Amino acid sequence: TVGNKIRDRIESSGEWVKKMNEIMRQTQIDSNLSFELEWKSKTAFTEEELDTKEIVRLFKIDAGQLADSDNQKLRQHFQSQIKKELEFNAQANDSYSNIIFKVLDYRNWFEFKLYYKRKTGEKKELTNKVFSILSGGERAKSMYVPLFAAVYAKLLNAKSSSLRLIALDEAFAGVDNVNIREMFNILSELNLDYILTSQSLWGDYDTINDLSICELIKDEIHKAVAVRHYRWSGHQLEILEKSGVYE
């Protein structure tokens, strides 16, 4: 039963990654810098342990049809994992149930790798070294594009009545206007609603059809904050009469 549940979670996660890549592909057709995600299985650390690919293969077989040699492989693998965790947590006094939870947490059996591709180049892994030489806008894209795709892919499994909402604090800080415009375009294409806070971002871009904007104005003398309301229609920013003052 445990094996079946883990297998179903792994397959579901694999489909989620596929959806993310399809979403990123569709939203980056005309982009100079595009991204792709891989969810790669980890290799075994010791002779007693199995590669993730082998574990998943064995989990796909009905438990009653597993050969004795396969059962032995699984026993040795998880015994080795449990032994390592027991030794590692000897001083931490962690409970045995928590150790079993860690050993059976399939998320630790895989690792994410992000790849990037320029229009005129080949697909390469986005390592920390490559990330450090990217421009500010390109760095932001490498974080926001997979994030938006992940949210959207997850929402595909939600009820139709569920909120499609994303909230970002200090949104797009350090990103140039060209890339911010593209980020808003991706949000629009994915039909995601959003609440963003920023010290400088207004959101008056042609890639946004409709946006409510609140400007907070601090009054240090009276220790109050005034709220000025605006509406962006996609081509014009207008101030609204409605406003408020909060002490």
Side-chain angles (χ1 to χ4, degrees):
T1 302
V2 172
N4 289 338
K5 288 185 178 295
I6 293 175
R7 179 197 62 205
D8 291 344
R9 292 290 184 91
I10 291 173
E11 290 180 348
S12 175
S13 299
E15 288 301 314
W16 178 57
V17 173
K18 287 181 182 178
K19 289 175 183 176
M20 283 181 61
N21 282 328
E22 178 61 22
I23 293 162
M24 287 193 287
R25 188 190 66 78
Q26 292 176 356
T27 57
Q28 299 174 101
I29 293 175
D30 298 323
S31 178
N32 291 323
L33 182 66
S34 58
F35 302 96
E36 183 179 321
L37 195 66
E38 281 192 17
W39 196 45
K40 304 190 72 171
S41 57
K42 293 182 178 179
T43 56
F45 289 103
T46 66
E47 292 183 0
E48 292 81 13
E49 296 177 7
L50 300 173
D51 291 343
T52 298
K53 284 184 179 179
E54 179 65 5
I55 299 173
V56 174
R57 185 189 72 81
L58 294 176
F59 278 169
K60 287 182 177 180
I61 302 173
D62 184 85
Q65 297 180 353
L66 276 173
D68 290 340
S69 58
D70 290 333
N71 273 317
Q72 182 61 23
K73 287 180 184 178
L74 287 172
R75 279 197 296 270
Q76 286 182 345
H77 172 80
F78 288 111
Q79 283 173 353
S80 174
Q81 290 273 302
I82 292 170
K83 182 180 178 181
K84 277 198 307 185
E85 286 294 331
L86 285 171
E87 292 173 351
F88 181 76
N89 291 281
Q91 305 299 324
N93 295 321
D94 204 356
S95 67
Y96 191 74
S97 60
N98 283 342
I99 290 174
I100 294 297
F101 177 84
K102 291 178 183 177
V103 169
L104 295 178
D105 189 347
Y106 70 94
R107 293 170 298 182
N108 297 325
W109 306 352
F110 296 84
E111 60 182 348
F112 282 107
K113 287 188 178 293
L114 186 63
Y115 293 84
Y116 73 99
K117 182 180 181 300
R118 299 189 185 277
K119 271 192 172 181
T120 56
E122 300 178 353
K123 184 178 77 171
K124 298 179 181 179
E125 184 180 352
L126 184 58
T127 61
N128 289 334
K129 184 177 180 180
V130 174
F131 183 81
S132 66
I133 62 175
L134 294 178
S135 68
E138 289 174 335
R139 291 184 193 180
K141 285 181 65 176
S142 70
M143 293 183 288
Y144 285 118
V145 171
L147 172 64
F148 295 157
V151 172
Y152 182 83
K154 205 67 176 175
L155 287 171
L156 290 176
N157 296 324
K159 294 181 180 178
S160 58
S161 58
S162 298
L163 292 174
R164 301 173 59 80
L165 184 66
I166 187 168
L168 296 174
D169 186 28
E170 294 295 337
F172 310 134
V175 184
D176 61 88
N177 279 326
V178 174
N179 283 298
I180 292 177
R181 178 182 177 276
E182 187 176 345
M183 294 300 99
F184 275 116
N185 186 50
I186 292 174
L187 287 171
S188 297
E189 288 184 1
L190 297 179
N191 194 27
L192 289 172
D193 291 322
Y194 43 86
I195 300 174
L196 311 178
T197 66
S198 172
Q199 292 184 350
S200 57
L201 184 66
W202 278 91
D204 49 345
Y205 295 90
D206 60 348
T207 51
I208 305 172
N209 295 324
D210 188 41
L211 186 66
S212 175
I213 303 171
C214 294
E215 180 186 15
L216 303 183
I217 305 169
K218 295 174 68 175
D219 186 336
E220 297 293 349
I221 297 176
H222 298 94
K223 301 299 181 183
V225 177
V227 183
R228 185 175 293 158
H229 296 265
Y230 301 83
R231 173 71 67 177
W232 170 250
S233 63
H235 58 273
Q236 183 178 356
L237 182 67
E238 57 178 323
I239 187 169
L240 305 179
E241 293 182 3
K242 181 182 178 182
S243 63
V245 178
Y246 304 94
E247 296 184 355

